[in-house]
Each structure stands twice: as structure tokens, then as C-alpha cells.
């Protein structure tokens, strides 16, 4: 292996290599997915009740409702929008506060219009009614007849859906670029028979594989970090996070090189991606649905990438808490690396030519 | 057509992932919750139950379980059986009678969402106000929009059913476009055209294969997940039109792309765009009326309304007309552009 030759190959690949759809997808799709998850899924899959308010006056009740912890409140500027939002399920319930709401409240004769989404859950309706009562009581200055003490039990914390989807976005970012780029690049070379041209140069198969692997690792790292940046999820140990991402990127590139070595056309590569995606992204579903037993994750190699990433970025734990997963990940990277090296040894230029 | 079937089935890997993919979609359906838990589930330990609190059992949105001691109640919360629990003191009524403020403990699992604790605290407050004669009286005019599904909610997996079914159809855009792109790339399409085969025959052969693949899988999926329980004929016709639509899209994508890689790229973009309305069916309120400009909306909406809400011909007639119209346009455009590529 010659570092100078590898660097030349990397430069050639970067400046003159194919700028095809795989590259565009590797860059665009993870960014779009991360943006989508953060913008849209931040509050979608929660069981939190949603109340729509159209305040025809300027009642302080609206502000009190907005500050309620038990539900999400969306304000509307006209009744038609509120009604449409309720009918479409954007909110569970919509209330129209009359202009004289505050005056009538003082006179103890509160009246308003309520739209209820037919598919809203019973608990959402209950929670909204309770929160509404609570806000009204706060306005009229009711004195609470009890002392309530809230006490947490256990040491687990709940995760919003945007955080549960983080493993999927990170895996997509790291594995699509890291795996597909080296694989597609090798397949392109085989299909266009440019590997044969390289075989008459001093570059070895090992140099070629290393150059393509490095590009995959760098792209996977950049996309992984970018995804975490979009999700603002760097936690308290950013260096440890980058280390885990780097290991994940290496694993992705190794799998990509293996795929590139054995697969002879892009069609089969994408078929491999469709099937392999189930195995690669399996752990993401375990994070999405805590009801799935956690032990199932242990059988997926990508679990050891995503578990430390999630723990470091979302839960904010230190490196010590994820060291065991990182150690297993290093072991996996080494084993797959040995397999790649073994394949490189076995692959002569002639063998590649035959595959192409 | 025999050649296309042979081409598809000769690639055992393609065949395998098609089968595994279908098993995966069916698996996803059955893994998702089959029922909607629409009540606030809470535990309570109350040596003395004040009348206002005893009325909790009558609340539609609350499911309450009484415990005989505080320790077992705390254990139930820690075990995850309940997210929130209320403990009332034994002297609660006496304290109120003496004009004092009794202390009520609300235990919540630390893994429970914050809103859960806030909701139960609000509930305790309201019951306490009611017990001490401070009930609020609102005069409300209520209007329920859409069918009132209280107690009869659609389970998440049934909401996901249209998305999964449509997704199975959409993936075939990629499969068909890839098969065509391979032929164009390898030059076999032109070779075929020097035989007595006409371009229209080629389209029919590929179209029938594409429709067969898409329709076969979607029918099998819907059959396995009970999607034909209501109005099976409407569902079947919708899936047939949907299959023709994906064939048209497959032709279009194949004609626009230079090679198989580009097919996958463009195909993925189309797939993501066309899958968006499916998310709207799975998560009500996620997308608004703008989704109607995406043609697959009329496919997803029809499957959703028929399979989940028991809609009939009259309800979805417009949807089917729009879908059929778009399908006619897309199949014509796909064949026209692809004919140019072939020639």
C-alpha cells in the first residue's frame, strides 16, 4: 500500500469520479430527512392533546392556555381556519372565545363555541377540558383546596419522537453515503472497465479499495455530523460522538467495499440496498418503539453505532456509559476490516476483470 | 412478456427481496398496536374515597384502578403498568371538613411524558374543587366534526394500512423502470425492435408485467391485513388503477433517466413525493389540503376512506375519477416519451 498513490487515487476520484445520482442522494436525502424529522415530527407522534383557539377578543385566557403543559395550543385568526383544522385532525378540539369572554367570566356566565374532531381520543377531550378549567380558575383566582405533590418514580426518561427518529436519520446519513459511494464507484469502474486501465499502473487493488473507502468514510462522517447539527444533538461529549460516527463511517465503507467487490451491476446494488436496508436500519425501529424488546437490537451490527450515538447525543451521557458498545463496535469494524483485507488479497486484477 | 418475467425471476436476489419486502410490510402491520388506548390510565390508593373522586369511574376518558396499599401502587408505576398514580390521605375528608388543605401525592413514572403528569395534576385539582363545592359551569355549544369515533378509534396499524399498501405499489415504479433502463442500457430494446415486435407490443408486455407485480403484491398484502373487509370491489378497482399509474410512472422515469442509477435516483424522488399523502392518512392533521396536488393522494385517500371508514362508491367516486384521469395522462406520457427513447 502506497500513501502517495492512494492520495492520487482519492484526488482523481473526487475531481474526476462520477457525480451521479448516488452522490446526490447521499448528500440530499439525509439532509432532507433530518430537516423533515425536526420540522414535522417534533410534535406529531406524541399523545399530547391539541387545542385550537380562535380568540375574537384579546382574552388573557389564550396566553394561559398556551402555557399549559398538558396540551399543545395552536391559535387561529378566524373561525373557518379553526373549524377546518379541527375537521382535519390538526387539533383535537377548537374553541371560539367570544369578544366579551372576560366580562362574562366576571359575571360567572361563561359561554363559548367548541368544535370537536370526531376522531379525537377520549383522554384528549378530558385533558383539554381539565386544562381549560384550570386556566379559567387561574384567571378568576380560585384558591386551590389541596396541596399537590408530584413525585417521579424510576430513572428512565421519556423521549419525544424527533429524538426517537434520530437513529434512523443518522443511520441513513452515515450508511447511505458511506456504503453506497464506494460500492457504486467500484461497480462503475468494473462496468466501464477502467479498473483494467488502472491495473497497468503501479496502483494495487489495495490502493484502489483504500482510496474509495476513505472517500466513503469522509462523506459518511460529514453527513453524520451535519445530520446531528440539524438535529442540534451533540450532547455533552461531542468528541466521543465524532469517534463513534467515525467508526460507523468506517463500518459503512467496509460494507460498501464488500458490496462493490461482489456485485456486478448497479441494479443488483440497489436490490442489495433494498434488502440490506432492513438489516441496517432494524435498530432504528427498536428506538422508535420502546415496546420492542431491546435485546433484538443486539443482533444488528448497526445497533452498536446507533446506541452510543443516541445515548451520547440525546441522553447526554458520558463516554464511560457507552464504552462497552464502542468496544464491540471496534471489534466489528476490525472483523469486517479483516474480511475486506482478505477479499482484497484474493481479488486479482484478472478476477475483477472477469467480474466486470 | 415471457422474456421480462424470465428477466425478473432469473435474478433470484430480486425475487427474494420482493418476497422479503412483502413479508416485512405485513410484519410491520402486525407489529403495530392493534388497539387504540384512548383513556387516561391511572392508579389510585385512597383509604377514603371522596364522592367527587369516586365519580372518576364514570369519566369517559379515564380508566382507574384502585390499589389496597401505597407500596403496591408505587411498584405498579415502577413496573410500567401505570404512568401516573394518585395517593389520597386517609384523613382527606376530615381535613376538608376542618377547613384545611389535605396533601395529595401524584406519582408519575419518570419515563412518562410531561403532559401526563400535568394532566393528572389538573384532574386532581378539578376533583378537589368539585368536592369542595367550587365546580365551574360552562355553557358550551359543541359541534362534532366528522363521525364521532369515541370508543371506536382506528388503530395505528389500520391507519398505516393505506400507506403500506400504496408504498408496495410505488416501489414497483423502481422495479419496472430499472428493468426498462437495463434494456435501454444494454441495447436489447433496440435489438427487440428489429424483430417483428412492435413498440406497442413491447409496452403491453412491460405494462402487464408491471401491473402484475404491483397488483399481485398489493392484493396479497391487503388480503393478509384484512384490507378487503369493506367494499372489496372498490379496493380492488383502486389498486388496479394504482397499478396502472405506477406502470405509467415507471415508463416516465425510465424515459427520463440515463441509466439504472439515475432511475433509482429519480424513482426515489417520485416515490418519496408520492408517499407523502400516505403519511397524511396515517397521521391525521400532518398535511393539509396542499397534498391534493399529489396524484397519489387520491389513491391513498380512497383506500383509507374505504378500508378504515367504510366509504362507498358515492364518497370516493370523485377520487377514482381524478386518479383514473391522471393515470390515463401518465400512461400516455410515459409511453410517448419512452417510445422516443426506444427509437
Amino acid at each position: 500500500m502506497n500513501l502517495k498513490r492512494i492520495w492520487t487515487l482519492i484526488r482523481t476520484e473526487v475531481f474526476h469520479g462520477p457525480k451521479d445520482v448516488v452522490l446526490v442522494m447521499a448528500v440530499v436525502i439525509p439532509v432532507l430527512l433530518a430537516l423533515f424529522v425536526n420540522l414535522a415530527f417534533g410534535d406529531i407522534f406524541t399523545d399530547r392533546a391539541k387545542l385550537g383557539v380562535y380568540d375574537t377578543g384579546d382574552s388573557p385566557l389564550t396566553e394561559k392556555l398556551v402555557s399549559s403543559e398538558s396540551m399543545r395550543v395552536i391559535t387561529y385568526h378566524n373561525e373557518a381556519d379553526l373549524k377546518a383544522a379541527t375537521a382535519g385532525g390538526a387539533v383535537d378540539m377548537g374553541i371560539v372565545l367570544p369578544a366579551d369572554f372576560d366580562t362574562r367570566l366576571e359575571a360567572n356566565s361563561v359561554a363559548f363555541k367548541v368544535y370537536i374532531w370526531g376522531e379525537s381520543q377520549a383522554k384528549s377531550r378530558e385533558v383539554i377540558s381539565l386544562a381549560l378549567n384550570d386556566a379559567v380558575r387561574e384567571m378568576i383566582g380560585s384558591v386551590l383546596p389541596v396541596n399537590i405533590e408530584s413525585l417521579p418514580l424510576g430513572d428512565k426518561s421519556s423521549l419525544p419522537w424527533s429524538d426517537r427518529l434520530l437513529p434512523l436519520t443518522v443511520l441513513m446519513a452515515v450508511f447511505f453515503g458511506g456504503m453506497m459511494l464506494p460500492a457504486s464507484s467500484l461497480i462503475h469502474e468494473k462496468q466501464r472497465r477502467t479498473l483494467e486501465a488502472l491495473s497497468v499502473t503501479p496502483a494495487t487493488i489495495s490502493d484502489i479499495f483504500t482510496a474509495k473507502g476513505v472517500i466513503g468514510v469522509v462523506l459518511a462522517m460529514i453527513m453524520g455530523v451535519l445530520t446531528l447539527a440539524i438535529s442540534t444533538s451533540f450532547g455533552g461529549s461531542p468528541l466521543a460522538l465524532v469517534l463513534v460516527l467515525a467508526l460507523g463511517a468506517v463500518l459503512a465503507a467496509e460494507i460498501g467495499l464488500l458490496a462493490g467487490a461482489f456485485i456486478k451491476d448497479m441494479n443488483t446494488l440497489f436490490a442489495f440496498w433494498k434488502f440490506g436496508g432492513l438489516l441496517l436500519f432494524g435498530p432504528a425501529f427498536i428506538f422508535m418503539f420502546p415496546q420492542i424488546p431491546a435485546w433484538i437490537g443486539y443482533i444488528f451490527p448497526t445497533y452498536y453505532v446507533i446506541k452510543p450515538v443516541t445515548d451520547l447525543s440525546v441522553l447526554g451521557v458520558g463516554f464511560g456509559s457507552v464504552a462497552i458498545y464502542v468496544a464491540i463496535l471496534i471489534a466489528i469494524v476490525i472483523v469486517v476490516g479483516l474480511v475486506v483485507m482478505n477479499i482484497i488479497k484474493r481479488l486479482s486484477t484478472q478476477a475483477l476483470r472477469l467480474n466486470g | 412478456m415471457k422474456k421480462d418475467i424470465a428477466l425478473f425471476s432469473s435474478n433470484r436476489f430480486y425475487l427474494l427481496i420482493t418476497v422479503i419486502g412483502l413479508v416485512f410490510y405485513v410484519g410491520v402491520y402486525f407489529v403495530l398496536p392493534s388497539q387504540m388506548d384512548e383513556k387516561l390510565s391511572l392508579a389510585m390508593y385512597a383509604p377514603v374515597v371522596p364522592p367527587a373522586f369516586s365519580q372518576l369511574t364514570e369519566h369517559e376518558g379515564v380508566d382507574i384502578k384502585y390499589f389496597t396499599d401505597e407500596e403496591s401502587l408505587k411498584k405498579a408505576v415502577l413496573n410500567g403498568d401505570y404512568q401516573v398514580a394518585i395517593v389520597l390521605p386517609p384523613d382527606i375528608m376530615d381535613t376538608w371538613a376542618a377547613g384545611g388543605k389535605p396533601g395529595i401525592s401524584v406519582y408519575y413514572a419518570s419515563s412518562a411524558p410531561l403532559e401526563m403528569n400535568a394532566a393528572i395534576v389538573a384532574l386532581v385539582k378539578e376533583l378537589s374543587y368539585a368536592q369542595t363545592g367550587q365546580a365551574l359551569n360552562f355553557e358550551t355549544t359543541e359541534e362534532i366534526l366528522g363521525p364521532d369515533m369515541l370508543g371506536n378509534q382506528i388503530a395505528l396499524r389500520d391507519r398505516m394500512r393505506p400507506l403500506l399498501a400504496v408504498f408496495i405499489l410505488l416501489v414497483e415504479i423502481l422495479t419496472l423502470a430499472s428493468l426498462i433502463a437495463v434494456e435501454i442500457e444494454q441495447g436489447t430494446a433496440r435489438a427487440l425492435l428489429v424483430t417483428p415486435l412492435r413498440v406497442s407490443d413491447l409496452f403491453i408486455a412491460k405494462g402487464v408485467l408491471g401491473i402484475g407485480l404491483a397488483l399481485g403484491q398489493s392484493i396479497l398484502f391487503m388480503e393478509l391485513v384484512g384490507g378487503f373487509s369493506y367494499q372489496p370491489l372498490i379496493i380492488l378497482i383502486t389498486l388496479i388503477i394504482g397499478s396502472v399509474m405506477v406502470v405509467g410512472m415507471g415508463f416516465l422515469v425510465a424515459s427520463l433517466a440515463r441509466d439504472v442509477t439515475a432511475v433509482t435516483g429519480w424513482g426515489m424522488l417520485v416515490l418519496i413525493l408520492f408517499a407523502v399523502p400516505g403519511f397524511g392518512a396515517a397521521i391525521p392533521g400532518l398535511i393539509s389540503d396542499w397534498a391534493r396536488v399529489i396524484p397519489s393522494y387520491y389513491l391513498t385517500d380512497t383506500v383509507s376512506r374505504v378500508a378504515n371508514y367504510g366509504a362507498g362508491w358515492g364518497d370516493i367516486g370523485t377520487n377514482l375519477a381524478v386518479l383514473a384521469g391522471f393515470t390515463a395522462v401518465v400512461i400516455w406520457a410515459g409511453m410517448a416519451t419512452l417510445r422516443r427513447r426506444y427509437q
Side-chain angles (χ1 to χ4, degrees):
Chain A
M1 201 187 289
N2 182 302
L3 287 178
K4 197 175 168 189
R5 279 203 299 268
I6 291 171
W7 176 241
T8 307
L9 286 167
I10 289 173
R11 275 193 313 173
T12 310
E13 183 79 26
V14 170
F15 293 112
H16 306 292
K19 310 289 184 296
D20 59 12
V21 182
V22 171
L23 181 65
V24 175
M25 283 173 71
V27 175
V28 174
I29 287 187
V31 173
L32 284 180
L33 189 66
L35 283 172
F36 181 69
V37 164
N38 279 280
L39 292 174
F41 283 74
D43 205 28
I44 283 175
F45 283 115
T46 62
D47 256 353
R48 207 171 184 192
K50 291 185 282 285
L51 172 69
V53 180
Y54 167 48
D55 188 355
T56 55
D58 189 21
S59 173
L61 181 72
T62 306
E63 204 177 311
K64 290 193 187 301
L65 289 170
V66 168
S67 64
S68 169
E69 278 185 353
S70 56
M71 61 180 180
R72 185 179 168 219
V73 176
I74 304 169
T75 53
Y76 292 87
H77 298 294
N78 59 63
E79 194 172 335
D81 284 354
L82 174 78
K83 196 173 173 181
T86 313
V91 292
D92 294 296
M93 214 182 264
I95 57 169
V96 181
L97 296 179
D100 60 348
F101 178 83
D102 296 346
T103 321
R104 295 186 69 166
L105 185 62
E106 282 171 18
N108 203 19
S109 64
V110 178
F112 52 85
K113 198 187 283 183
V114 180
Y115 292 113
I116 302 169
W117 178 41
E119 292 181 55
S120 64
Q121 296 179 41
K123 60 182 169 190
S124 299
R125 299 182 193 186
E126 186 79 37
V127 166
I128 289 171
S129 301
L130 289 168
L132 200 54
N133 282 2
D134 203 29
V136 169
R137 286 189 188 281
E138 207 179 311
M139 271 184 74
I140 59 178
S142 295
V143 179
L144 188 62
V146 285
N147 293 316
I148 300 171
E149 190 181 14
S150 282
L151 303 158
L153 292 174
D155 52 7
K156 291 180 184 167
S157 58
S158 68
L159 285 180
W161 265 93
S162 55
D163 286 344
R164 290 193 206 182
L165 285 166
L166 183 72
L168 182 67
T169 54
V170 173
L171 279 178
M172 277 286 280
V174 172
F175 276 82
F176 197 84
M179 198 192 100
M180 291 296 271
L181 208 64
S184 67
S185 178
L186 275 173
I187 291 166
H188 270 299
E189 300 255 23
K190 283 197 278 183
Q191 283 184 323
R192 291 171 188 174
R193 301 191 180 279
T194 42
L195 273 182
E196 290 169 11
L198 276 173
S199 69
V200 297
T201 71
T204 62
I205 289 183
S206 176
D207 294 338
I208 298 166
F209 270 63
T210 309
K212 293 185 189 304
V214 167
I215 294 170
V217 170
V218 171
L219 181 72
M221 279 279 292
I222 292 171
M223 294 316 299
V225 171
L226 191 61
T227 305
L228 286 174
I230 292 170
S231 312
T232 57
S233 307
F234 276 104
S237 312
L239 282 179
L241 198 55
V242 171
L243 169 72
V244 178
L245 280 180
L247 288 167
V250 174
L251 180 62
E254 286 173 346
I255 296 172
L257 290 174
L258 284 176
F262 287 112
I263 293 171
K264 57 182 177 181
D265 58 59
M266 293 300 291
N267 219 8
T268 313
L269 176 66
F270 279 104
F272 172 75
W273 171 253
K274 276 165 81 178
F275 169 67
L278 299 181
L279 297 176
L280 289 174
F281 301 137
F285 289 94
I286 290 161
F287 285 92
M288 278 185 223
F289 302 101
Q291 298 91 332
I292 300 174
W295 65 264
I296 294 175
Y298 300 154
I299 57 180
F300 296 94
T302 47
Y303 179 81
Y304 302 96
V305 179
I306 214 58
K307 173 71 177 163
V309 166
T310 311
D311 285 0
L312 288 166
S313 60
V314 177
L315 303 182
V317 302
F319 182 72
S321 306
V322 297
I324 181 72
Y325 300 107
V326 177
I328 296 172
L329 178 60
I330 290 171
I332 294 171
V333 167
I334 291 171
V335 169
V336 181
L338 289 173
V339 174
V340 174
M341 282 166 68
N342 191 33
I343 298 295
I344 290 171
K345 270 184 198 167
R346 284 170 49 193
L347 281 175
S348 64
T349 308
Q350 180 63 33
L352 279 168
R353 193 181 297 144
L354 285 173
N355 273 337
Chain B
M1 205 171 89
K2 274 185 187 169
K3 177 191 73 65
D4 286 332
I5 294 169
L7 190 71
F8 175 78
S9 55
S10 64
N11 191 333
R12 286 185 185 173
F13 193 64
Y14 236 131
L15 205 61
L16 184 71
I17 60 129
T18 304
V19 174
I20 290 178
L22 192 59
V23 171
F24 177 74
Y25 292 123
V26 174
V28 165
Y29 174 84
F30 284 108
V31 162
L32 289 169
S34 60
Q35 284 183 329
M36 178 76 86
D37 180 15
E38 62 167 324
K39 290 189 172 185
L40 270 179
S41 229
L42 71 101
M44 186 186 278
Y45 168 58
V48 175
V49 185
F53 282 72
S54 65
Q55 285 171 11
L56 259 181
T57 46
E58 292 162 22
H59 281 229
E60 270 182 324
V62 181
D63 186 15
I64 190 162
K65 163 91 194 284
Y66 286 96
F67 280 73
T68 50
D69 62 282
E70 192 170 341
E71 276 316 301
S72 56
L73 172 138
K74 283 163 79 174
K75 209 171 172 182
V77 174
L78 279 168
N79 287 343
D81 301 335
Y82 293 90
Q83 288 189 313
V84 195
I86 302 170
V87 173
L88 304 183
D91 58 349
I92 187 165
M93 293 304 286
D94 297 335
T95 310
W96 269 325
K101 282 187 177 187
I104 294 178
S105 300
V106 175
Y107 291 107
Y108 62 97
S110 53
S111 58
L114 282 176
E115 63 265 22
M116 183 63 78
N117 179 42
I120 298 302
V121 167
L123 176 69
V124 171
K125 282 183 186 175
E126 200 50 41
L127 293 172
S128 303
Y129 281 123
Q131 182 61 44
T132 52
Q134 302 178 67
L136 271 181
N137 289 315
F138 288 158
E139 193 185 307
T140 56
T141 316
E142 292 183 358
E143 185 181 343
I144 293 179
L145 303 173
D148 193 353
M149 310 283 281
L150 211 59
N152 191 25
Q153 297 285 348
I154 299 167
L156 179 61
R157 72 181 188 186
D158 291 331
R159 284 194 186 281
M160 291 286 283
R161 191 163 46 190
L163 171 67
L164 295 171
V166 171
F167 205 77
I168 288 171
L169 285 178
L170 294 177
V171 168
E172 292 313 314
I173 294 176
L174 288 174
T175 308
L176 184 64
S178 300
L179 285 173
I180 296 170
V182 167
E183 289 208 335
I184 294 175
E185 226 177 349
Q186 294 175 348
T188 47
R190 286 185 185 214
L192 279 173
L193 289 175
V194 298
T195 69
L197 190 80
R198 288 174 302 174
V199 178
S200 54
D201 296 334
L202 205 63
F203 282 130
I204 291 169
K206 299 221 176 295
V208 170
L209 174 75
I211 291 169
L213 278 174
L215 189 61
Q217 289 183 69
S218 56
I219 286 178
L220 187 58
F221 171 79
M222 288 298 272
E223 182 60 40
L224 290 171
V225 301
F228 287 113
S229 307
Y230 302 104
Q231 302 277 14
L233 188 62
I234 301 181
I235 297 281
L236 182 65
I237 288 173
T238 309
L239 293 178
I240 291 171
I241 299 175
S243 305
V244 180
M245 182 185 78
V246 300
V247 166
M249 290 306 298
F251 285 165
L252 258 184
V253 170
S255 66
L256 293 171
R258 263 188 321 150
D259 50 29
V260 177
T261 316
V263 159
T264 308
W266 289 112
M268 281 292 282
L269 287 179
V270 172
L271 196 147
I272 290 169
L273 183 71
F274 274 43
V276 166
F279 287 101
I283 308 155
L286 172 64
I287 50 177
S288 47
D289 285 348
W290 61 263
R292 288 170 193 265
V293 300
I294 304 172
S296 57
Y297 170 85
Y298 301 94
L299 176 61
T300 318
D301 188 53
T302 305
V303 176
S304 172
R305 284 166 67 182
V306 175
N308 289 338
Y309 301 91
W313 287 104
D315 305 306
I316 49 84
T318 313
N319 271 8
L320 283 186
V322 174
L323 188 63
F326 174 77
T327 300
V329 170
V330 85
I331 198 95
W332 170 81
M335 285 168 70
T337 49
L338 198 55
R339 185 187 293 265
R340 222 178 292 164
R341 280 296 303 273
Y342 275 143
Q343 290 167 345

